[in-house]
Amino acid sequence: GDSVTQMEGPVTLSEEAFLTINCTYTATGYPSLFWYVQYPGEGLQLLLKATKADDKGSNKGFEATYRKETTSFHLEKGSVQVSDSAVYFCALSETNQGGKLIFGQGTELSVKP
Amino acid sequence: EAQVTQNPRYLITVTGKKLTVTCSQNMNHEYMSWYRQDPGLGLRQIYYSMNVEVTDKGDVPEGYKVSRKEKRNFPLILESPSPNQTSLYFCASSLSRVSHEQYFGPGTRLTVT
């Protein structure tokens, strides 16, 4: 079945460092891809999305490009801030699966001043 | 304010004692679902509902029940909780099953002893 694999955390960076969180997926069809962020004690929030190959999603300085040839959707940010400390989830959704989101295991990011 | 609310936020109970976690959304969304979050496993879907009186199983439905009598509410029922249902639970809603953004509640942390 469909699945999402993320790089393991925790990831610890200094403020203003470059961030990459790897995400690869396995899907039978043509899924939409998402990054969700979970701040401490809160629910998940959609960070960005891409619905077809070569689409780039972006929000709050974060970017991810839907790469069909490598089945990847890596999250990047050029300069992280302490306020970016959170858990990041990569997810996919296929319309033939009732709208279900399939999540990766999550990657915890800690940014130190 | 558009939101998904869950109650209670924290619950400690004993094996076999029936409980209900409520979920309500004020966005007139058709699609609602429940997920559980466990360390190293990400979020997994328990049940979902595409509209009033329409519910279906997700990936991990065993030991849970749901109902959708009104569009705004989607309670999760544990008839006889067991320790393996100790987890963090999230309710989510979206405009429809093909909508690309799901809105998550703040979570309910359940401990079954």
Side-chain angles (χ1 to χ4, degrees), chain B residues 20-77:
Chain B
T20 299
V21 184
T22 64
C23 172
S24 183
Q25 50 91 6
N26 62 0
M27 296 169 279
N28 201 36
H29 284 171
E30 286 188 351
Y31 184 91
M32 298 184 75
S33 66
W34 277 102
Y35 295 86
R36 61 178 288 173
Q37 181 180 6
D38 300 291
L41 297 177
L43 282 78
R44 295 174 292 167
Q45 191 182 56
I46 303 170
Y47 267 94
Y48 65 94
S49 168
M50 288 200 245
N51 214 325
V52 175
E53 301 292 2
V54 181
T55 64
D56 210 344
K57 296 177 181 178
D59 292 324
V60 288
E62 294 77 21
Y64 304 95
K65 284 175 57 177
V66 292
S67 69
R68 188 94 182 270
K69 292 184 170 46
E70 306 165 283
K71 199 171 187 179
R72 63 184 294 126
N73 296 324
F74 190 46
L76 180 69
I77 302 155

Short mmCIF file of all heavy atoms in Angstrom, two decimals, chain B residues 20-77:
data_model
loop_
_atom_site.label_atom_id
_atom_site.label_comp_id
_atom_site.label_asym_id
_atom_site.label_seq_id
_atom_site.Cartn_x
_atom_site.Cartn_y
_atom_site.Cartn_z
N THR B 20 -16.09 8.60 25.81
CA THR B 20 -16.35 9.29 24.54
C THR B 20 -15.48 10.53 24.48
O THR B 20 -15.41 11.30 25.44
CB THR B 20 -17.82 9.70 24.43
OG1 THR B 20 -18.64 8.52 24.46
CG2 THR B 20 -18.08 10.44 23.12
N VAL B 21 -14.83 10.71 23.35
CA VAL B 21 -14.09 11.94 23.07
C VAL B 21 -14.90 12.71 22.03
O VAL B 21 -15.21 12.18 20.96
CB VAL B 21 -12.68 11.66 22.54
CG1 VAL B 21 -11.91 12.96 22.36
CG2 VAL B 21 -11.92 10.73 23.49
N THR B 22 -15.24 13.95 22.37
CA THR B 22 -16.07 14.71 21.43
C THR B 22 -15.21 15.51 20.47
O THR B 22 -14.07 15.88 20.77
CB THR B 22 -17.00 15.67 22.19
OG1 THR B 22 -16.20 16.65 22.88
CG2 THR B 22 -17.87 14.91 23.18
N CYS B 23 -15.77 15.76 19.29
CA CYS B 23 -15.11 16.58 18.27
C CYS B 23 -16.19 17.42 17.61
O CYS B 23 -17.24 16.89 17.21
CB CYS B 23 -14.42 15.70 17.24
SG CYS B 23 -13.80 16.64 15.82
N SER B 24 -15.90 18.70 17.46
CA SER B 24 -16.86 19.59 16.82
C SER B 24 -16.12 20.59 15.94
O SER B 24 -15.05 21.08 16.30
CB SER B 24 -17.65 20.34 17.90
OG SER B 24 -18.63 21.16 17.31
N GLN B 25 -16.71 20.87 14.75
CA GLN B 25 -16.11 21.87 13.86
C GLN B 25 -17.18 22.89 13.47
O GLN B 25 -18.35 22.55 13.34
CB GLN B 25 -15.47 21.20 12.62
CG GLN B 25 -16.34 20.20 11.89
CD GLN B 25 -17.17 20.77 10.77
OE1 GLN B 25 -17.06 21.96 10.42
NE2 GLN B 25 -18.03 19.94 10.18
N ASN B 26 -16.75 24.13 13.27
CA ASN B 26 -17.69 25.22 12.96
C ASN B 26 -17.51 25.76 11.56
O ASN B 26 -17.84 26.92 11.27
CB ASN B 26 -17.55 26.34 14.00
CG ASN B 26 -16.17 26.98 13.99
OD1 ASN B 26 -15.31 26.59 13.22
ND2 ASN B 26 -15.96 27.94 14.86
N MET B 27 -16.97 24.93 10.66
CA MET B 27 -16.67 25.38 9.30
C MET B 27 -17.61 24.77 8.27
O MET B 27 -17.39 24.92 7.06
CB MET B 27 -15.22 25.02 8.97
CG MET B 27 -14.22 25.76 9.86
SD MET B 27 -12.54 25.13 9.72
CE MET B 27 -12.63 23.70 10.80
N ASN B 28 -18.64 24.08 8.71
CA ASN B 28 -19.60 23.43 7.81
C ASN B 28 -18.91 22.42 6.88
O ASN B 28 -19.32 22.23 5.73
CB ASN B 28 -20.36 24.47 6.98
CG ASN B 28 -21.67 23.92 6.44
OD1 ASN B 28 -22.35 23.13 7.11
ND2 ASN B 28 -22.04 24.32 5.24
N HIS B 29 -17.87 21.77 7.40
CA HIS B 29 -17.14 20.78 6.61
C HIS B 29 -17.92 19.49 6.49
O HIS B 29 -18.55 19.03 7.45
CB HIS B 29 -15.78 20.51 7.24
CG HIS B 29 -14.79 21.60 7.00
ND1 HIS B 29 -13.57 21.64 7.63
CD2 HIS B 29 -14.83 22.68 6.18
CE1 HIS B 29 -12.90 22.70 7.20
NE2 HIS B 29 -13.65 23.34 6.34
N GLU B 30 -17.83 18.87 5.31
CA GLU B 30 -18.49 17.58 5.11
C GLU B 30 -17.67 16.43 5.67
O GLU B 30 -18.20 15.47 6.20
CB GLU B 30 -18.71 17.34 3.60
CG GLU B 30 -19.81 18.18 3.00
CD GLU B 30 -20.10 17.77 1.57
OE1 GLU B 30 -19.34 16.96 0.99
OE2 GLU B 30 -21.09 18.28 1.01
N TYR B 31 -16.35 16.51 5.50
CA TYR B 31 -15.47 15.38 5.79
C TYR B 31 -14.84 15.55 7.17
O TYR B 31 -14.29 16.61 7.48
CB TYR B 31 -14.38 15.31 4.73
CG TYR B 31 -13.44 14.14 4.84
CD1 TYR B 31 -13.71 12.95 4.17
CD2 TYR B 31 -12.27 14.22 5.59
CE1 TYR B 31 -12.84 11.88 4.25
CE2 TYR B 31 -11.40 13.16 5.68
CZ TYR B 31 -11.69 11.98 5.01
OH TYR B 31 -10.83 10.92 5.09
N MET B 32 -14.94 14.50 7.99
CA MET B 32 -14.30 14.50 9.30
C MET B 32 -13.63 13.14 9.51
O MET B 32 -14.07 12.12 8.97
CB MET B 32 -15.31 14.77 10.42
CG MET B 32 -15.96 16.14 10.30
SD MET B 32 -17.07 16.54 11.67
CE MET B 32 -15.89 16.90 12.99
N SER B 33 -12.56 13.15 10.31
CA SER B 33 -11.88 11.89 10.58
C SER B 33 -11.18 11.94 11.93
O SER B 33 -10.97 13.02 12.49
CB SER B 33 -10.89 11.56 9.47
OG SER B 33 -9.84 12.49 9.44
N TRP B 34 -10.83 10.76 12.41
CA TRP B 34 -10.07 10.60 13.64
C TRP B 34 -8.76 9.90 13.32
O TRP B 34 -8.72 8.93 12.54
CB TRP B 34 -10.84 9.75 14.65
CG TRP B 34 -11.84 10.52 15.44
CD1 TRP B 34 -13.18 10.56 15.25
CD2 TRP B 34 -11.56 11.35 16.57
NE1 TRP B 34 -13.77 11.38 16.18
CE2 TRP B 34 -12.80 11.87 17.01
CE3 TRP B 34 -10.40 11.71 17.26
CZ2 TRP B 34 -12.90 12.74 18.10
CZ3 TRP B 34 -10.50 12.57 18.34
CH2 TRP B 34 -11.74 13.07 18.75
N TYR B 35 -7.69 10.41 13.96
CA TYR B 35 -6.37 9.81 13.85
C TYR B 35 -5.83 9.54 15.25
O TYR B 35 -6.17 10.23 16.20
CB TYR B 35 -5.38 10.75 13.15
CG TYR B 35 -5.68 11.05 11.71
CD1 TYR B 35 -6.55 12.08 11.35
CD2 TYR B 35 -5.07 10.33 10.69
CE1 TYR B 35 -6.82 12.37 10.03
CE2 TYR B 35 -5.33 10.61 9.35
CZ TYR B 35 -6.20 11.64 9.04
OH TYR B 35 -6.46 11.91 7.72
N ARG B 36 -4.95 8.57 15.34
CA ARG B 36 -4.16 8.41 16.54
C ARG B 36 -2.69 8.59 16.21
O ARG B 36 -2.25 8.19 15.12
CB ARG B 36 -4.42 7.07 17.24
CG ARG B 36 -4.10 5.83 16.46
CD ARG B 36 -4.35 4.57 17.28
NE ARG B 36 -3.33 4.39 18.32
CZ ARG B 36 -3.38 3.45 19.26
NH1 ARG B 36 -4.40 2.59 19.30
NH2 ARG B 36 -2.43 3.34 20.17
N GLN B 37 -1.97 9.21 17.13
CA GLN B 37 -0.55 9.47 16.92
C GLN B 37 0.25 8.71 17.95
O GLN B 37 0.06 8.87 19.16
CB GLN B 37 -0.25 10.97 17.06
CG GLN B 37 1.21 11.32 16.83
CD GLN B 37 1.48 12.81 16.98
OE1 GLN B 37 0.61 13.59 17.37
NE2 GLN B 37 2.69 13.22 16.65
N ASP B 38 1.16 7.88 17.47
CA ASP B 38 2.01 7.08 18.35
C ASP B 38 3.47 7.29 17.96
O ASP B 38 3.78 7.42 16.76
CB ASP B 38 1.64 5.60 18.26
CG ASP B 38 0.20 5.35 18.66
OD1 ASP B 38 -0.09 5.51 19.86
OD2 ASP B 38 -0.63 5.03 17.78
N PRO B 39 4.38 7.30 18.92
CA PRO B 39 5.80 7.56 18.63
C PRO B 39 6.33 6.61 17.57
O PRO B 39 6.14 5.39 17.63
CB PRO B 39 6.48 7.32 19.99
CG PRO B 39 5.41 7.57 21.00
CD PRO B 39 4.13 7.10 20.37
N GLY B 40 7.02 7.18 16.59
CA GLY B 40 7.64 6.39 15.53
C GLY B 40 6.68 5.90 14.46
O GLY B 40 7.12 5.30 13.47
N LEU B 41 5.39 6.16 14.63
CA LEU B 41 4.39 5.66 13.66
C LEU B 41 3.66 6.79 12.95
O LEU B 41 2.85 6.53 12.06
CB LEU B 41 3.37 4.77 14.37
CG LEU B 41 3.93 3.49 14.99
CD1 LEU B 41 2.81 2.74 15.72
CD2 LEU B 41 4.54 2.59 13.91
N GLY B 42 3.91 8.02 13.32
CA GLY B 42 3.16 9.12 12.72
C GLY B 42 1.70 9.06 13.14
O GLY B 42 1.36 8.58 14.22
N LEU B 43 0.82 9.54 12.28
CA LEU B 43 -0.62 9.49 12.54
C LEU B 43 -1.27 8.43 11.66
O LEU B 43 -0.94 8.31 10.49
CB LEU B 43 -1.27 10.85 12.23
CG LEU B 43 -1.09 11.95 13.25
CD1 LEU B 43 0.27 12.59 13.15
CD2 LEU B 43 -2.19 13.00 13.09
N ARG B 44 -2.18 7.70 12.24
CA ARG B 44 -2.91 6.67 11.50
C ARG B 44 -4.40 6.92 11.64
O ARG B 44 -4.89 7.21 12.74
CB ARG B 44 -2.55 5.28 12.02
CG ARG B 44 -1.10 4.89 11.78
CD ARG B 44 -0.78 3.57 12.44
NE ARG B 44 -0.81 3.68 13.90
CZ ARG B 44 -0.82 2.64 14.72
NH1 ARG B 44 -0.81 1.41 14.25
NH2 ARG B 44 -0.82 2.82 16.04
N GLN B 45 -5.12 6.74 10.54
CA GLN B 45 -6.54 7.06 10.54
C GLN B 45 -7.35 5.93 11.19
O GLN B 45 -7.17 4.75 10.87
CB GLN B 45 -7.03 7.29 9.11
CG GLN B 45 -8.43 7.88 9.05
CD GLN B 45 -8.91 8.06 7.63
OE1 GLN B 45 -8.94 7.11 6.85
NE2 GLN B 45 -9.31 9.27 7.28
N ILE B 46 -8.28 6.31 12.06
CA ILE B 46 -9.12 5.34 12.77
C ILE B 46 -10.45 5.16 12.02
O ILE B 46 -10.82 4.04 11.64
CB ILE B 46 -9.38 5.80 14.21
CG1 ILE B 46 -8.06 6.02 14.95
CG2 ILE B 46 -10.24 4.79 14.95
CD1 ILE B 46 -8.23 6.71 16.29
N TYR B 47 -11.18 6.23 11.86
CA TYR B 47 -12.46 6.26 11.15
C TYR B 47 -12.57 7.58 10.42
O TYR B 47 -11.93 8.56 10.79
CB TYR B 47 -13.63 6.14 12.14
CG TYR B 47 -14.13 4.75 12.39
CD1 TYR B 47 -13.64 4.01 13.47
CD2 TYR B 47 -15.10 4.17 11.57
CE1 TYR B 47 -14.11 2.72 13.71
CE2 TYR B 47 -15.56 2.88 11.81
CZ TYR B 47 -15.06 2.16 12.88
OH TYR B 47 -15.52 0.90 13.12
N TYR B 48 -13.43 7.60 9.41
CA TYR B 48 -13.73 8.84 8.76
C TYR B 48 -15.21 8.90 8.38
O TYR B 48 -15.91 7.88 8.40
CB TYR B 48 -12.86 9.07 7.52
CG TYR B 48 -13.06 8.09 6.38
CD1 TYR B 48 -13.94 8.39 5.33
CD2 TYR B 48 -12.35 6.89 6.35
CE1 TYR B 48 -14.11 7.51 4.28
CE2 TYR B 48 -12.52 6.01 5.29
CZ TYR B 48 -13.39 6.32 4.26
OH TYR B 48 -13.55 5.44 3.22
N SER B 49 -15.66 10.12 8.08
CA SER B 49 -17.06 10.32 7.70
C SER B 49 -17.11 11.33 6.56
O SER B 49 -16.55 12.42 6.66
CB SER B 49 -17.85 10.86 8.89
OG SER B 49 -19.12 11.31 8.48
N MET B 50 -17.79 10.94 5.48
CA MET B 50 -17.88 11.84 4.32
C MET B 50 -19.08 12.77 4.41
O MET B 50 -19.15 13.75 3.68
CB MET B 50 -17.92 11.02 3.04
CG MET B 50 -16.58 10.40 2.73
SD MET B 50 -16.40 9.93 1.01
CE MET B 50 -16.29 8.18 1.19
N ASN B 51 -20.02 12.43 5.30
CA ASN B 51 -21.16 13.32 5.51
C ASN B 51 -22.02 12.74 6.63
O ASN B 51 -21.71 11.68 7.19
CB ASN B 51 -21.98 13.49 4.23
CG ASN B 51 -22.58 14.88 4.10
OD1 ASN B 51 -22.96 15.50 5.11
ND2 ASN B 51 -22.65 15.39 2.89
N VAL B 52 -23.11 13.42 6.94
CA VAL B 52 -23.99 12.96 8.02
C VAL B 52 -24.46 11.54 7.73
O VAL B 52 -24.84 11.23 6.59
CB VAL B 52 -25.19 13.91 8.16
CG1 VAL B 52 -26.17 13.38 9.20
CG2 VAL B 52 -24.71 15.31 8.55
N GLU B 53 -24.37 10.69 8.75
CA GLU B 53 -24.81 9.30 8.68
C GLU B 53 -23.96 8.43 7.75
O GLU B 53 -24.34 7.29 7.46
CB GLU B 53 -26.29 9.21 8.26
CG GLU B 53 -27.26 9.93 9.18
CD GLU B 53 -27.39 9.31 10.57
OE1 GLU B 53 -26.69 8.32 10.87
OE2 GLU B 53 -28.17 9.84 11.37
N VAL B 54 -22.82 8.94 7.28
CA VAL B 54 -21.92 8.16 6.42
C VAL B 54 -20.57 8.06 7.10
O VAL B 54 -19.83 9.04 7.21
CB VAL B 54 -21.76 8.81 5.02
CG1 VAL B 54 -20.83 7.94 4.17
CG2 VAL B 54 -23.10 8.99 4.35
N THR B 55 -20.24 6.86 7.59
CA THR B 55 -18.94 6.65 8.24
C THR B 55 -18.29 5.40 7.66
O THR B 55 -18.97 4.50 7.14
CB THR B 55 -19.08 6.49 9.76
OG1 THR B 55 -19.84 5.31 10.05
CG2 THR B 55 -19.76 7.70 10.38
N ASP B 56 -16.96 5.33 7.78
CA ASP B 56 -16.25 4.16 7.28
C ASP B 56 -14.95 3.98 8.04
O ASP B 56 -14.43 4.93 8.65
CB ASP B 56 -15.96 4.30 5.78
CG ASP B 56 -15.91 2.94 5.09
OD1 ASP B 56 -15.79 1.91 5.79
OD2 ASP B 56 -15.98 2.91 3.86
N LYS B 57 -14.43 2.76 8.00
CA LYS B 57 -13.22 2.43 8.74
C LYS B 57 -11.99 2.99 8.05
O LYS B 57 -11.88 3.00 6.83
CB LYS B 57 -13.09 0.90 8.84
CG LYS B 57 -14.21 0.24 9.64
CD LYS B 57 -14.05 -1.27 9.64
CE LYS B 57 -15.18 -1.92 10.42
NZ LYS B 57 -15.06 -3.41 10.41
N GLY B 58 -11.04 3.40 8.89
CA GLY B 58 -9.72 3.76 8.42
C GLY B 58 -8.78 2.59 8.54
O GLY B 58 -9.19 1.43 8.38
N ASP B 59 -7.54 2.87 8.89
CA ASP B 59 -6.53 1.81 8.96
C ASP B 59 -6.53 1.05 10.28
O ASP B 59 -6.11 -0.11 10.32
CB ASP B 59 -5.14 2.40 8.73
CG ASP B 59 -4.98 2.90 7.31
OD1 ASP B 59 -5.53 2.26 6.39
OD2 ASP B 59 -4.30 3.92 7.11
N VAL B 60 -6.94 1.68 11.35
CA VAL B 60 -6.86 1.05 12.68
C VAL B 60 -8.18 1.21 13.44
O VAL B 60 -8.23 1.81 14.52
CB VAL B 60 -5.67 1.61 13.50
CG1 VAL B 60 -4.36 1.09 12.94
CG2 VAL B 60 -5.69 3.14 13.52
N PRO B 61 -9.29 0.64 12.95
CA PRO B 61 -10.59 0.88 13.57
C PRO B 61 -10.93 0.00 14.77
O PRO B 61 -11.89 0.27 15.51
CB PRO B 61 -11.56 0.55 12.42
CG PRO B 61 -10.85 -0.53 11.66
CD PRO B 61 -9.38 -0.17 11.74
N GLU B 62 -10.14 -1.07 15.01
CA GLU B 62 -10.51 -2.04 16.03
C GLU B 62 -10.56 -1.38 17.41
O GLU B 62 -9.61 -0.71 17.83
CB GLU B 62 -9.51 -3.20 16.05
CG GLU B 62 -9.51 -4.06 14.79
CD GLU B 62 -8.78 -3.41 13.64
OE1 GLU B 62 -7.96 -2.49 13.89
OE2 GLU B 62 -9.04 -3.79 12.49
N GLY B 63 -11.66 -1.61 18.12
CA GLY B 63 -11.82 -1.09 19.47
C GLY B 63 -12.45 0.30 19.54
O GLY B 63 -12.61 0.85 20.62
N TYR B 64 -12.82 0.86 18.37
CA TYR B 64 -13.40 2.19 18.32
C TYR B 64 -14.74 2.17 17.60
O TYR B 64 -15.00 1.32 16.77
CB TYR B 64 -12.47 3.15 17.57
CG TYR B 64 -11.08 3.24 18.11
CD1 TYR B 64 -10.06 2.45 17.57
CD2 TYR B 64 -10.76 4.11 19.15
CE1 TYR B 64 -8.76 2.53 18.05
CE2 TYR B 64 -9.46 4.19 19.63
CZ TYR B 64 -8.47 3.39 19.08
OH TYR B 64 -7.19 3.47 19.57
N LYS B 65 -15.57 3.13 17.96
CA LYS B 65 -16.82 3.39 17.24
C LYS B 65 -16.93 4.88 17.02
O LYS B 65 -16.36 5.68 17.77
CB LYS B 65 -18.03 2.91 18.05
CG LYS B 65 -18.24 1.41 18.06
CD LYS B 65 -19.40 1.03 18.98
CE LYS B 65 -20.69 1.70 18.63
NZ LYS B 65 -21.81 1.26 19.48
N VAL B 66 -17.70 5.26 16.00
CA VAL B 66 -17.98 6.67 15.75
C VAL B 66 -19.44 6.81 15.35
O VAL B 66 -20.11 5.83 15.04
CB VAL B 66 -17.09 7.25 14.62
CG1 VAL B 66 -15.64 7.31 15.04
CG2 VAL B 66 -17.27 6.45 13.33
N SER B 67 -19.90 8.04 15.37
CA SER B 67 -21.23 8.35 14.83
C SER B 67 -21.20 9.75 14.23
O SER B 67 -20.36 10.58 14.61
CB SER B 67 -22.31 8.25 15.92
OG SER B 67 -22.15 9.30 16.87
N ARG B 68 -22.10 9.99 13.28
CA ARG B 68 -22.17 11.32 12.66
C ARG B 68 -23.65 11.65 12.47
O ARG B 68 -24.21 11.53 11.39
CB ARG B 68 -21.44 11.32 11.32
CG ARG B 68 -21.31 12.71 10.71
CD ARG B 68 -20.05 13.39 11.05
NE ARG B 68 -19.94 14.72 10.50
CZ ARG B 68 -19.42 15.00 9.30
NH1 ARG B 68 -19.01 14.01 8.52
NH2 ARG B 68 -19.31 16.24 8.91
N LYS B 69 -24.25 12.10 13.56
CA LYS B 69 -25.68 12.43 13.52
C LYS B 69 -25.91 13.87 13.08
O LYS B 69 -26.99 14.22 12.59
CB LYS B 69 -26.31 12.18 14.89
CG LYS B 69 -26.36 10.70 15.27
CD LYS B 69 -27.07 10.50 16.59
CE LYS B 69 -27.35 9.04 16.88
NZ LYS B 69 -26.24 8.13 16.64
N GLU B 70 -24.91 14.70 13.31
CA GLU B 70 -24.98 16.10 12.88
C GLU B 70 -23.70 16.41 12.11
O GLU B 70 -22.66 15.80 12.37
CB GLU B 70 -25.05 17.05 14.08
CG GLU B 70 -26.15 16.76 15.06
CD GLU B 70 -25.88 17.52 16.35
OE1 GLU B 70 -25.02 17.08 17.13
OE2 GLU B 70 -26.53 18.56 16.57
N LYS B 71 -23.78 17.38 11.23
CA LYS B 71 -22.63 17.69 10.40
C LYS B 71 -21.44 18.17 11.23
O LYS B 71 -20.29 17.87 10.91
CB LYS B 71 -23.02 18.76 9.38
CG LYS B 71 -22.09 18.85 8.19
CD LYS B 71 -22.68 19.78 7.14
CE LYS B 71 -21.86 19.75 5.87
NZ LYS B 71 -22.43 20.62 4.83
N ARG B 72 -21.68 18.91 12.28
CA ARG B 72 -20.59 19.53 13.02
C ARG B 72 -19.90 18.60 14.01
O ARG B 72 -18.78 18.87 14.43
CB ARG B 72 -21.09 20.78 13.74
CG ARG B 72 -22.14 20.52 14.80
CD ARG B 72 -22.65 21.82 15.39
NE ARG B 72 -21.60 22.50 16.13
CZ ARG B 72 -21.24 23.77 15.90
NH1 ARG B 72 -21.83 24.49 14.97
NH2 ARG B 72 -20.28 24.33 16.62
N ASN B 73 -20.54 17.52 14.41
CA ASN B 73 -20.01 16.67 15.49
C ASN B 73 -19.62 15.28 15.01
O ASN B 73 -20.34 14.66 14.21
CB ASN B 73 -21.04 16.55 16.62
CG ASN B 73 -21.33 17.87 17.28
OD1 ASN B 73 -20.44 18.71 17.44
ND2 ASN B 73 -22.58 18.08 17.66
N PHE B 74 -18.54 14.77 15.58
CA PHE B 74 -18.04 13.44 15.17
C PHE B 74 -17.36 12.80 16.39
O PHE B 74 -16.14 12.77 16.48
CB PHE B 74 -17.07 13.60 14.00
CG PHE B 74 -16.67 12.31 13.35
CD1 PHE B 74 -17.60 11.33 13.02
CD2 PHE B 74 -15.34 12.08 12.99
CE1 PHE B 74 -17.23 10.16 12.38
CE2 PHE B 74 -14.96 10.92 12.36
CZ PHE B 74 -15.91 9.96 12.05
N PRO B 75 -18.13 12.30 17.33
CA PRO B 75 -17.54 11.72 18.54
C PRO B 75 -16.85 10.38 18.30
O PRO B 75 -17.29 9.59 17.45
CB PRO B 75 -18.75 11.56 19.47
CG PRO B 75 -19.92 11.44 18.54
CD PRO B 75 -19.60 12.29 17.35
N LEU B 76 -15.82 10.15 19.06
CA LEU B 76 -15.09 8.87 19.05
C LEU B 76 -15.42 8.14 20.34
O LEU B 76 -15.27 8.69 21.44
CB LEU B 76 -13.58 9.12 18.97
CG LEU B 76 -12.68 7.89 18.96
CD1 LEU B 76 -12.84 7.11 17.66
CD2 LEU B 76 -11.22 8.30 19.16
N ILE B 77 -15.87 6.90 20.20
CA ILE B 77 -16.33 6.12 21.35
C ILE B 77 -15.43 4.91 21.54
O ILE B 77 -15.17 4.16 20.58
CB ILE B 77 -17.78 5.64 21.12
CG1 ILE B 77 -18.68 6.86 20.89
CG2 ILE B 77 -18.27 4.82 22.32
CD1 ILE B 77 -19.93 6.55 20.10
#
